[in-house]
Amino acid sequence: MEKWSLMAITVLLALTVRWTVSLGSYSGAGKPPMYGDYEAQRHWQEVTYHLPIRQWYFNTSDNNLLYWGLDYPPLTAYHSFLCAYIAGFINPDWIALHSSRGYESQSHKLFMRTTVFVADLLVYIPAVILYCCSLKETSTKKKASICALCILLYPGLILIDHGHFQYPLSLGFALWGVLCLSYDWDLLGSVAFCLALNYKQMELYHSLPFFCYLLGKCFKKGLKGKGLVLLTKLAGTVVLSFAVCWLPFCADVEQILQVLRRLFPIDRGFAAMMTKYPLTSLFSFPQDKVANFWCTLSVLIKIKSVISPQAQLKLSFAVTFLSLLPACIKLTVQPSLRGFKFALVSCALSFFLFSFQAHEKSILLVSVPVCLIINEIPFMATWFLLVSTFSMLPLLLKDGLLLAYAVTTLAFLSACVASFSIFEKTSAEDLQLKPFSLSLKGYASWFKPFPRIVRSVFLLSVTVMGVLSLMSAAVPPPQRFPDLFPVSVSSVSCLHFLFFLVYFNMIILWDSRNSRSQKKVS
């Protein structure tokens, strides 16, 4: 009973922080003609409520796809319709066809914020609570609550969901998938991840670890016996889940193809993509400030002037594939729950750093898996989560979320320091680098000052991020370099992410525990 009382206090605190952040500004507030993601969500409610399903993804006189046309999978559209149905009862003007474009009012803001709040409360937060309770490392009453508090106070997700404006459903469904797999409920886990993928296609960042882990389990059971049965069940579950989600579009092949074209619009060319995605960042455009490898490299080398767009696509695919291959092979050959969670981090980070199309917010697809291992490597996880929030600073400043950014970041860091004593957990063993250090027998002496070096680098990193945050908010950039601070933020963040990619892969490839079966929670 006491354990659940602590959890209730944790949830109440997390909800209070979320609601406080939601009282501030949102994406594109008062900025016509496109406004921002808030208007995109409102417009999808308008379209799905008034138009038949067959027109949701097609360009018509009532559905101008150049104005926030639907570009997410069917579950997003269904969710928009559900929200619109409720909005229609409260105030039809909020979703009136055509005339509601750019609608802004305090009552509508309250409604929209509430829909995010409810989605968080029903899907994401329960998954976090149950996940923390399931960890064998958090079996005591306080540890599970402490772990949940740190995860729920992660500022990046709070600021984007309840500040910028975004629904946490895809990440919530993915987390439910991880939770189910931790209990060996493989079929339910597959259903949950299919829901995540059918809500937002960016969940492809996590698809390979799910696939490799489940395939590895089938191999381990033997493909001539129980493994084949499990593989057949998994395949059937995935097909059935997708069929149910896409059922309204299955009557016409052209409907399916049009939805796919909306989800993956590469064939329409760069110019069309920038028109359709005014907030989407492509590494071939110099005005984009995203902390991935190609954007950072473009500061030194103008890639679009060196190679063609088609070559850029092929290059990014090759580098992405090669960077995530080691983790996927290890997970398939030696499937373990622990290896699965670290592979989620590594693969998502590879996609973010090297993929053809990236957005600042995509770093959340890496951050949530990092939250799942904060109890195992609290120091490095805290560090990464701070950097991930910092990497979105230009977007947060554009939305007027500077104060919320500063307060939530400091609150999160304080919670992690107090809960995990992170500065006392910087040895090679605490950072899960013991197997790697043992493989360097001739260099074992190098690891003696390792904790002090790591702490010093961390403090330097936090100082640089703090100074850049202050300068970005308070100091006017030089006229000759108007993008100096956004470029500096993205470049510094990218260097951090490259370092973390190497670090996580070192854990995956050298950790002998991934080769042993993980004890499951009964």
Side-chain angles (χ1 to χ4, degrees):
M1 193 69 180
E2 182 182 350
K3 180 178 180 178
W4 292 110
S5 298
L6 291 172
M7 278 298 183
I9 295 172
T10 297
V11 172
L12 183 61
L13 179 58
L15 292 177
T16 302
V17 173
R18 281 161 165 74
W19 190 253
T20 303
V21 171
S22 72
L23 297 177
S25 183
Y26 53 81
S27 170
K31 296 177 181 177
M34 295 300 293
Y35 300 93
D37 284 4
Y38 177 94
E39 167 63 10
Q41 297 285 350
R42 189 216 59 78
H43 180 65
W44 295 344
Q45 295 175 19
E46 169 194 342
V47 168
T48 55
Y49 186 78
H50 288 283
L51 303 183
I53 291 180
R54 64 178 181 274
Q55 294 183 21
W56 285 359
Y57 291 91
F58 281 88
N59 193 59
T60 66
S61 57
D62 291 326
N63 185 22
N64 181 6
L65 294 182
L66 294 180
Y67 184 80
W68 297 118
L70 258 172
D71 51 11
Y72 283 138
L75 278 187
T76 292
Y78 305 150
H79 178 233
S80 296
F81 175 78
L82 176 62
C83 292
Y85 191 79
I86 299 172
F89 277 110
I90 302 173
N91 188 345
D93 290 342
W94 294 347
I95 53 170
L97 191 62
H98 301 308
S99 62
S100 65
R101 180 173 292 191
Y103 190 99
E104 293 179 315
S105 71
Q106 283 300 317
S107 58
H108 183 251
K109 176 185 174 182
L110 177 62
F111 168 75
M112 294 290 280
R113 293 298 199 191
T114 303
T115 60
V116 178
F117 196 78
V118 171
D120 218 353
L121 188 59
L122 294 180
V123 179
Y124 182 77
I125 292 179
V128 171
I129 298 300
L130 293 177
Y131 172 80
C132 292
C133 292
S134 72
L135 296 172
K136 59 184 178 181
E137 297 90 346
T138 59
S139 56
T140 61
K141 297 174 182 178
K142 289 185 178 180
K143 285 184 177 179
S145 299
I146 287 172
C147 184
L149 177 64
C150 290
I151 294 176
L152 293 176
L153 286 183
Y154 166 55
L157 196 60
I158 294 175
L159 293 169
I160 294 300
D161 288 351
H162 300 273
H164 175 83
F165 199 88
Q166 178 176 278
Y167 290 102
L169 291 176
S170 63
L171 291 170
F173 287 137
L175 189 50
W176 276 104
V178 175
L179 179 64
C180 290
L181 294 188
S182 70
Y183 282 97
D184 269 342
W185 299 340
D186 296 334
L187 300 185
L188 284 176
S190 299
V191 171
F193 184 68
C194 286
L195 292 176
L197 196 54
N198 279 286
Y199 190 89
K200 189 172 286 188
Q201 67 269 34
M202 297 307 290
E203 277 298 325
L204 285 169
Y205 278 38
H206 300 144
S207 58
L208 281 176
F210 270 90
F211 175 78
C212 293
Y213 175 66
L214 292 173
L215 182 62
K217 289 188 71 173
C218 294
F219 286 152
K220 196 171 183 179
K221 290 177 180 291
L223 286 182
K224 292 184 179 180
K226 294 182 179 180
L228 181 60
V229 174
L230 177 60
L231 182 61
T232 304
K233 289 181 178 179
L234 289 170
T237 300
V238 171
V239 171
L240 183 60
S241 299
F242 269 80
V244 171
C245 292
W246 287 69
L247 187 60
F249 303 93
C250 291
D252 185 1
V253 175
E254 182 56 30
Q255 282 277 338
I256 298 176
L257 294 177
Q258 175 63 9
V259 176
L260 292 175
R261 283 192 288 266
R262 295 297 301 167
L263 302 186
F264 308 103
I266 294 175
D267 60 331
R268 280 180 280 156
F270 291 94
M273 289 177 73
M274 286 303 291
T275 302
K276 175 181 174 298
Y277 295 106
L279 298 180
T280 295
S281 303
L282 302 172
F283 75 76
S284 58
F285 289 84
Q287 66 266 31
D288 302 315
K289 317 298 182 304
V290 183
N292 79 343
F293 177 77
W294 305 114
C295 288
T296 303
L297 185 62
S298 293
V299 176
L300 303 175
I301 303 173
K302 301 304 179 185
I303 302 176
K304 69 174 186 177
S305 63
V306 178
I307 56 178
S308 66
Q310 292 76 15
Q312 294 174 27
L313 176 60
K314 294 176 181 178
L315 177 62
S316 63
F317 174 81
V319 176
T320 304
F321 178 76
L322 291 175
S323 65
L324 54 80
L325 190 60
C328 290
I329 293 176
K330 179 70 179 290
L331 184 60
T332 305
V333 175
Q334 298 175 348
S336 69
L337 184 60
R338 184 172 185 277
F340 167 61
K341 289 187 287 187
F342 275 92
L344 283 172
V345 175
S346 176
C347 291
L349 188 52
S350 292
F351 271 110
F352 176 80
L353 281 171
F354 304 118
S355 61
F356 178 73
Q357 181 178 328
H359 190 286
E360 301 100 313
K361 297 182 296 183
S362 298
I363 195 60
L364 297 178
L365 292 158
V366 190
S367 300
V368 170
V370 171
C371 288
L372 302 183
I373 56 176
I374 195 170
N375 61 300
E376 296 189 47
I377 47 170
F379 179 84
M380 296 300 282
T382 300
W383 190 0
F384 179 91
L385 294 173
L386 290 174
V387 176
S388 67
T389 304
F390 169 75
S391 72
M392 297 184 287
L393 180 62
L395 179 64
L396 300 175
L397 290 177
K398 186 188 300 183
D399 294 337
L401 296 170
L402 174 63
L403 180 60
Y405 161 76
V407 173
T408 55
T409 300
L410 289 174
F412 171 73
L413 178 58
S414 300
C416 291
V417 171
S419 302
F420 292 110
S421 303
I422 59 174
F423 292 111
E424 299 174 9
K425 298 179 179 179
T426 55
S427 66
E429 186 172 1
D430 291 325
L431 300 183
Q432 309 290 328
L433 292 175
K434 190 69 172 180
F436 175 74
S437 65
L438 293 176
S439 67
L440 301 176
K441 296 179 181 179
Y443 301 90
S445 60
W446 185 85
F447 281 87
K448 291 181 180 179
F450 187 71
R452 187 176 69 254
I453 295 173
V454 170
R455 286 193 296 268
S456 299
V457 174
F458 172 81
L459 292 175
L460 175 62
S461 168
V462 171
T463 302
V464 170
M465 290 189 290
V467 169
L468 274 177
S469 297
L470 288 173
M471 294 181 70
S472 298
V475 179
Q479 290 185 353
R480 185 180 176 186
F481 303 106
D483 297 323
L484 175 63
F485 296 134
V487 169
S488 298
V489 169
S490 63
S491 300
V492 168
S493 301
C494 180
L495 292 175
H496 279 84
F497 293 147
L498 289 169
F499 160 72
F500 282 113
L501 181 64
V502 174
Y503 167 72
F504 288 124
N505 275 284
M506 286 168 62
I507 293 180
I508 292 170
L509 298 178
W510 268 272
D511 191 357
S512 59
R513 278 184 285 180
N514 286 351
S515 63
R516 299 196 297 267
S517 298
Q518 298 293 305
K519 184 179 180 181
K520 300 297 188 295
V521 182
S522 60

